[in-house]
């Protein structure tokens, strides 16, 4: 097993152990599933390969501990939300006209009204963007400090 391939790292597929026929067969199954775009079979092959490695090669899963702290997700009051709209009217192709980013939703609505007056288009895709922060819901709970 490669040193950079931790058996508990489920974000990457497990590497085969050199000179192990079972590892090689399971890796072939995984590669064939990937080539067929069969994500379920690919995942199955990875699970079987990890299980085989734990049983036959003594690799163990690393454990991670997560502590639950209740948070509320709230809009960041220090950043302004943004609004925009895009005209999606059209039978074969969308119009594609855009309002551009605005800080006030009434400006976007006014742009839509003007665009409809000019073009008679009636269908728009509206977008809203903002920033959010997580705040602990329990008094006295401190925010974790980001790691460099």
């Amino acid at each position: 097993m490669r040193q950079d391939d931790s058996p508990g790292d489920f974000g990457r597929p497990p590497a085969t152990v050199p000179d192990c026929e079972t590892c090689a067969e399971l890796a072939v199954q995984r590669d064939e599933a990937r080539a067929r775009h069969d994500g379920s079979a690919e995942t199955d092959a990875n699970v079987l390969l990890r299980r085989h490695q734990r049983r036959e090669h003594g690799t163990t899963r690393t454990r991670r501990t997560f502590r639950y702290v209740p948070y509320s997700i709230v809009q960041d009051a220090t950043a302004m939300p943004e609004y925009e709209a895009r005209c999606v009217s059209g039978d074969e192709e969308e119009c594609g006209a855009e309002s551009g980013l605005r800080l006030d939703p009434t400006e976007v609505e006014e742009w839509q009204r003007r665009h409809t007056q000019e073009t008679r288009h009636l269908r728009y895709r509206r977008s809203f963007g903002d920033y959010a922060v997580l705040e602990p819901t329990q008094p006295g709970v401190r925010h974790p400090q980001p790691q460099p």
Side-chain angles (χ1 to χ4, degrees), residues 81-84 102-113 126 128:
E82 300 171 331
Y83 307 86
E84 68 180 323
R102 308 292 173 95
L103 298 178
D104 185 347
T106 57
E107 293 177 18
V108 174
E109 292 166 3
E110 184 58 32
W111 175 85
Q112 287 176 267
R113 280 191 277 280
R126 298 185 304 174
F128 166 80

Side-chain angles (χ1 to χ4, degrees), residues 22-82:
T22 304
C23 283
E25 289 171 5
L26 290 168
V28 168
Q29 285 180 18
R30 176 185 59 205
D31 294 342
E32 289 172 349
R34 187 178 299 137
R36 292 189 313 269
H37 303 287
D38 185 349
S40 179
E42 182 181 352
T43 299
D44 291 345
N46 284 334
V47 168
L48 292 172
L49 183 54
R50 283 190 181 95
R51 185 178 298 158
H52 162 74
Q53 289 177 346
R54 278 195 307 273
R55 289 180 182 156
E56 301 302 321
H57 303 298
T59 58
T60 59
R61 184 183 305 177
T62 58
R63 294 189 180 266
R64 294 179 281 174
T65 303
F66 295 95
R67 306 267 186 250
Y68 176 74
V69 178
Y71 286 89
S72 291
I73 301 174
V74 298
Q75 190 175 37
D76 184 351
T78 65
M80 298 296 295
E82 300 171 331

